[in-house]
Amino acid sequence: VTAVTSGTIQVGQVITGTGVTAGTTITALGTGTGSTGTYTVSASQSVASTTINIVAIDFTAIPSWVKRVTVLLSGVSSNGTSAYLVQMGTSSGVENSGYTGSYGTSLYSSGFLIGSAAAANVVHAYICITKVTGNTWVAATTAALSNTASTAVGAGTKTLSGTLDRVRITTVNGTDTFDAGTINILYE
């Protein structure tokens, strides 16, 4: 990485760019610690100089004993109009179907929906995902937009194909890129 125009490079970011293999994730820091330098990625590749964007954030290696995962968004925005999604996964990968529930007046099936679809929206959200039994999880979402007087709540459920070990934050269309804010998780 020779230049960073905005944000910080972090382990777990799913990146896109001309010539970058789809689904490439930053897996380790090299000489870079958030800005210029080298980084290790999930798929070995050679790419000509290109602009790289963040299309998802993956939190992996969640321990098998976890009963609750809280996803926190602070001042998050993107370059497009697609709403945000929280998706869960197992060692086989992120699961993008089989979710049931609603957020505000919207139904969803590809993840737990967060935020409103407008490029100017800055989202602050709290998503609590709690294990009910086996591999069945329920989620409760509360979100607010700092640039409008808008709040929404949501709830849903998902039964995973195995033991939860990862959470992904992305957009409904999977191509809008994050351009501001902080995303983190807490598990217990």
Side-chain angles (χ1 to χ4, degrees), residues 26-113:
I26 297 172
T27 59
L29 304 176
T31 62
T33 57
S35 189
T36 59
T38 61
Y39 296 85
T40 302
V41 294
S42 58
S44 179
Q45 56 198 289
S46 295
V47 178
S49 181
T50 189
T51 299
I52 294 176
N53 295 298
I54 302 163
V55 294
I57 308 292
D58 284 353
F59 294 93
T60 58
I62 296 172
S64 61
W65 53 261
V66 167
K67 304 269 190 246
R68 181 180 331 192
V69 178
T70 305
V71 180
L72 306 160
L73 282 73
S74 177
V76 174
S77 68
S78 73
N79 69 341
T81 59
S82 187
Y84 307 131
L85 281 178
V86 173
Q87 298 173 318
M88 303 181 303
T90 68
S91 60
S92 297
V94 173
E95 297 186 13
N96 58 13
S97 63
Y99 296 81
T100 58
S102 65
Y103 175 80
T105 59
S106 300
L107 298 174
Y108 55 79
S109 62
S110 59
F112 301 124
L113 196 63

